[in-house]
Amino acid sequence: MIEIVRQAHVDAPVDDVWAKVSDAVRAPEWFAFAERVEVRAGDGLGQLRTQHGRWGGKPAEVDQEVIAFEPGRLLAWRHVEERLNGKPAPKFAASTEFRIELAQEDGGTSVTLRSLQEPAGRVKGWLMKAFGAKDVAKAMETSLARLSGEELGQ
């Protein structure tokens, strides 16, 4: 399992941070991986959505299913399907999960972003660690910086 974790303090109440991170449509405001997110079905646990963005300079789409939804505390999804440039993406990970964990902290909110990927094989795992992990970590750091620098009450 490849786990990448980044954490930051946001000077805003948990409820304000939750309002932003739990609303899929607002993801492009802060989530570096997302240019647009479409909710396809449901709300909360079990929600199905498609995230549009870029990976390696190419258009990317990720179909997601929300697998954990604890208001004010935890949002997690798993990747169901991934497409790159309109075609099925190369299968480097057997499974991918992304978690957003919140906790009240010193007049604000501690935000932890966690990416968990199970490689689809030994060589693919090595490639993911050698190349993809740095890009994922950088995007997570950018996401946290956007959350930290914005007025969340808007």
Side-chain angles (χ1 to χ4, degrees):
M1 187 67 71
I2 298 171
E3 181 177 23
I4 302 167
V5 179
R6 294 295 185 268
Q7 185 175 27
H9 177 84
V10 175
D11 287 325
V14 169
D15 289 345
D16 290 353
V17 178
W18 178 256
K20 181 167 268 193
V21 302
S22 66
D23 184 348
V25 176
R26 294 186 71 186
E29 296 175 25
W30 71 274
F31 197 52
F33 295 104
E35 292 177 354
R36 177 172 54 97
V37 177
E38 298 171 61
V39 175
R40 295 191 335 269
D43 191 28
L45 187 64
Q47 181 182 68
L48 301 175
R49 55 198 189 181
T50 300
Q51 177 181 288
H52 301 266
R54 301 192 79 69
W55 185 259
K58 297 178 182 177
E61 296 176 354
V62 179
D63 294 334
Q64 305 168 337
E65 177 185 10
V66 173
I67 57 172
F69 190 86
E70 299 174 25
R73 191 173 108 52
L74 173 66
L75 172 65
W77 61 81
R78 70 179 183 91
H79 290 196
V80 177
E81 296 289 334
E82 299 173 346
R83 291 173 297 285
L84 192 59
N85 218 17
K87 299 176 183 171
K91 193 84 168 164
F92 284 92
S95 67
T96 299
E97 180 180 322
F98 197 90
R99 300 171 65 85
I100 303 167
E101 303 162 5
L102 306 180
Q104 187 171 336
E105 170 187 87
D106 299 327
T109 303
S110 170
V111 180
T112 302
L113 303 181
R114 188 178 311 272
S115 171
L116 300 156
Q117 293 185 300
E118 178 186 352
R122 185 172 289 159
V123 172
K124 290 182 178 181
W126 180 84
L127 289 169
M128 289 167 64
K129 286 180 185 177
F131 300 103
K134 291 177 188 175
D135 292 336
V136 170
K138 183 177 179 183
M140 291 166 74
E141 290 163 4
T142 298
S143 298
L144 289 168
R146 289 177 182 173
L147 272 178
S148 297
E150 294 178 1
E151 289 292 323
L152 292 169
Q154 297 179 351

